[in-house]
């Protein structure tokens, strides 16, 4: 029993270190979401820090509501990508070991 507990504690320590490295990586990893074929692009880090919003000049001739909708869609696209990347990298970092209840990433 003691050997199993020691092995489990070592595995938990490795997972904790992997999570720390992953958090640092996600702070610097940038994702770009796009809408309308790239007429609007939103770039964010995987920690949800907005880095840039680019709107094609040709789009500025359109009505404001449409431009706002495209910015919203590009932002949603970026957030969806961030969620997917984070889940994928978290599964690798934890080696399939589930996080304890109440512990979030």
């Amino acid at each position: 029993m003691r050997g199993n507990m020691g092995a489990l504690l070592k595995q938990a320590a490795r997972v904790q270190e992997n999570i720390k490295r992953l958090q640092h990586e996600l702070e610097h990893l940038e994702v770009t979401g796009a809408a309308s074929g790239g007429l609007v692009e939103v770039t964010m880090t995987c920690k949800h820090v907005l880095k840039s919003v680019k709107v094609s000049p040709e789009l500025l001739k359109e009505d404001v509501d449409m431009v706002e909708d495209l910015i919203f869609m590009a932002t949603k696209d970026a957030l969806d990508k961030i969620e997917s990347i984070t889940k994928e990298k978290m599964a690798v970092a934890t080696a399939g070991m589930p996080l304890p209840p109440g512990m979030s990433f």
Side-chain angles (χ1 to χ4, degrees):
M1 173 96 162
R2 229 174 199 205
N4 289 342
M5 183 59 113
L8 184 59
L9 289 174
K10 284 182 183 181
Q11 183 180 8
R14 280 192 305 269
V15 167
Q16 184 177 21
E17 183 60 36
N18 288 343
I19 289 173
K20 283 182 185 178
R21 272 195 299 270
L22 177 58
Q23 286 175 329
H24 179 73
E25 179 184 345
L26 292 175
E27 285 178 27
H28 302 285
L29 182 62
E30 292 185 4
V31 173
T32 299
S36 194
L39 291 176
V40 174
E41 292 183 349
V42 173
T43 301
M44 316 175 78
T45 70
C46 284
K47 286 294 203 171
H48 303 121
V49 175
L50 183 62
K51 296 300 236 175
S52 70
V53 176
K54 294 181 182 175
V55 179
S56 171
E58 69 186 67
L59 190 59
L60 296 177
K61 298 172 189 167
E62 301 298 328
D63 84 45
V64 173
D65 288 337
M66 186 177 84
V67 175
E68 289 172 347
D69 287 345
L70 291 174
I71 292 170
F72 176 85
M73 290 188 306
T75 303
K76 172 106 172 67
D77 184 45
L79 290 170
D80 289 345
K81 289 176 181 178
I82 289 168
E83 182 177 351
S84 177
I85 289 168
T86 301
K87 282 182 182 179
E88 180 182 313
K89 289 185 176 284
M90 184 60 140
V92 171
T94 62
M97 186 175 168
L99 293 177
M103 183 178 177
S104 64
F105 179 64

